[in-house]
């Protein structure tokens, strides 16, 4: 973190009049930032480790080479998996990207990564025509080119589904069928299946698979072996897990964190 950042707390950053402010902070595995919000758009990036972002109705996984765009005033919490080197950018309303009312996980190009890291090493207060000013202008251009990724887990509003989903989030290896869940919550398997499609928009099996892959990325970020992660996610073999993971995520689990 640069010296000027050491003398300005995070809340003070939001009062600066410039279009973009950078902030750097490191967290240990398992640390959590409780529910909060900011008065500016936040671009949240980790140069190492994995973050899980939570709102009242969704969860996101933020692995390496991705960042998350958080709209102003949206309440969110963050859980760290692995030692996380968090780098944040706070953007004012002139950001060249339309931010919806929801969170977006976006791909971070090698250039964008270097720009974020470089800007975090510049003085917090950016002077016109300074190196920080030039980096900011280039970063704003890259921001408009970032591709949104589908790395969210939708959470239900229906109280019976909330019980099922909370238990699976706690134990992604859970293999209970819809018939077993129907006995636990007092609704037929057909009703549960229909509620998943209506409330969340995807099937029960698809939702559980998303949870498992999120959990897998958290384990991989900590350096766990693929066979260990596969077992924790309910797969009988590492090869079956690797095939399903590659089909869904577009990369193999071994290559996802190969630079660590």
């Amino acid at each position: 973190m640069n010296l000027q950042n050491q003398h300005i707390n995070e809340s003070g950053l939001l009062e600066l009049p410039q279009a973009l402010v950078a902030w750097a902070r490191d967290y240990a595995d398992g640390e959590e930032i409780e529910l909060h919000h900011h008065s500016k758009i936040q671009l949240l990036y980790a140069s190492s480790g994995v973050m899980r972002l939570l709102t009242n109705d969704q969860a996101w996984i933020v692995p390496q080479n991705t960042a998350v765009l958080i709209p102003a005033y949206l309440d969110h919490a963050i859980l760290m998996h692995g030692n996380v080197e968090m780098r944040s950018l706070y953007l004012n309303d002139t950001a060249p990207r339309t931010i919806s009312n929801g969170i977006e996980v976006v791909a971070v190009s090698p250039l964008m990564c270097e720009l974020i890291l470089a800007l975090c090493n510049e003085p917090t207060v950016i002077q016109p025509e300074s190196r920080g000013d030039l980096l900011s202008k280039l970063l704003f251009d890259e921001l408009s080119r970032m591709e949104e990724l589908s790395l969210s887990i939708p959470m239900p509003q229906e109280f019976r589904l909330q019980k099922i989903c909370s238990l699976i989030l706690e134990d992604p290896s859970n293999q209970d069928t819809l018939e077993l869940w129907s006995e636990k919550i007092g609704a037929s398997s057909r009703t549960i299946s229909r509620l998943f499609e209506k409330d969340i928009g995807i099937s029960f099996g698809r939702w559980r698979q998303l949870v498992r892959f999120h959990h897998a990325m958290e384990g991989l970020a900590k350096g766990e072996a693929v066979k260990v992660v596969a077992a924790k996610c309910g797969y009988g073999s590492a090869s079956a897990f690797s095939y399903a993971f590659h089909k869904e995520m577009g990369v193999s689990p071994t290559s996802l964190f190969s630079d660590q």
Side-chain angles (χ1 to χ4, degrees), residues 184-204:
K184 294 180 180 181
I185 68 169
S188 70
S189 59
R190 180 174 294 183
T191 296
I192 297 172
S193 178
R194 178 178 55 80
L195 287 173
F196 262 93
E197 293 285 357
K198 181 180 179 180
D199 194 341
I200 301 180
I202 57 177
S203 68
F204 166 73

Side-chain angles (χ1 to χ4, degrees), residues 40-109:
K40 290 187 177 183
I41 297 167
Q42 183 182 19
L43 176 72
L44 188 62
Y45 172 71
S47 56
S48 70
V50 170
M51 299 176 289
R52 174 173 284 186
L53 197 73
L54 302 168
T55 64
N56 291 326
D57 59 359
Q58 279 192 296
W60 288 259
I61 191 73
V62 190
Q64 285 184 316
N65 302 320
T66 66
V68 59
L69 280 163
I70 307 171
Y73 300 106
L74 181 65
D75 288 334
H76 59 282
I78 307 169
L79 180 62
M80 314 301 166
H81 295 276
N83 294 322
V84 173
E85 297 179 0
M86 183 186 291
R87 304 296 180 257
S88 290
L89 302 178
Y90 296 101
L91 315 169
N92 66 12
D93 292 337
T94 64
R97 183 188 183 96
T98 300
I99 309 297
S100 66
N101 292 327
I103 285 173
E104 297 179 23
V105 177
V106 292
V108 175
S109 67

Side-chain angles (χ1 to χ4, degrees), residues 49-258:
V50 170
M51 299 176 289
R52 174 173 284 186
L53 197 73
L54 302 168
T55 64
N56 291 326
D57 59 359
Q58 279 192 296
W60 288 259
I61 191 73
V62 190
Q64 285 184 316
N65 302 320
T66 66
V68 59
L69 280 163
I70 307 171
Y73 300 106
L74 181 65
D75 288 334
H76 59 282
I78 307 169
L79 180 62
M80 314 301 166
H81 295 276
N83 294 322
V84 173
E85 297 179 0
M86 183 186 291
R87 304 296 180 257
S88 290
L89 302 178
Y90 296 101
L91 315 169
N92 66 12
D93 292 337
T94 64
R97 183 188 183 96
T98 300
I99 309 297
S100 66
N101 292 327
I103 285 173
E104 297 179 23
V105 177
V106 292
V108 175
S109 67
L111 175 57
M112 187 69 170
C113 170
E114 294 302 324
L115 288 171
I116 293 171
L117 298 180
L119 196 57
C120 284
N121 284 319
E122 289 297 308
T124 304
V125 179
I126 298 175
Q127 301 297 332
E129 304 306 321
S130 65
R131 183 172 184 267
D133 187 36
L134 296 175
L135 288 170
S136 297
K137 290 176 181 177
L138 183 53
L139 193 148
F140 262 58
D141 183 69
E142 283 297 298
L143 182 63
S144 65
R145 305 170 187 266
M146 298 176 84
E147 178 185 356
E148 184 175 1
L149 304 173
S150 297
L151 290 175
S152 65
I153 300 176
M155 299 297 291
Q157 299 297 314
E158 209 278 338
F159 72 97
R160 289 168 291 185
L161 295 192
Q162 287 178 346
K163 181 177 180 180
I164 295 173
C165 291
S166 64
L167 291 172
I168 292 176
L169 282 169
E170 292 175 6
D171 179 19
S173 66
N174 183 295
Q175 299 279 18
D176 287 355
T177 63
L178 286 179
E179 286 71 25
L180 288 174
W181 283 114
S182 70
E183 297 174 7
K184 294 180 180 181
I185 68 169
S188 70
S189 59
R190 180 174 294 183
T191 296
I192 297 172
S193 178
R194 178 178 55 80
L195 287 173
F196 262 93
E197 293 285 357
K198 181 180 179 180
D199 194 341
I200 301 180
I202 57 177
S203 68
F204 166 73
R206 167 73 172 151
W207 186 88
R208 182 165 61 181
Q209 186 180 54
L210 286 176
V211 172
R212 288 175 172 176
F213 289 150
H214 278 220
H215 187 74
M217 284 189 279
E218 293 165 0
L220 292 167
K222 298 177 183 179
E224 295 179 358
V226 172
K227 64 179 181 180
V228 173
V229 172
K232 287 183 177 180
C233 293
Y235 283 84
S237 68
S239 59
F241 164 75
S242 296
Y243 174 80
F245 188 94
H246 187 278
K247 184 177 180 180
E248 175 67 29
M249 307 305 296
V251 294
S252 68
T254 52
S255 66
L256 187 63
F257 297 97
S258 59

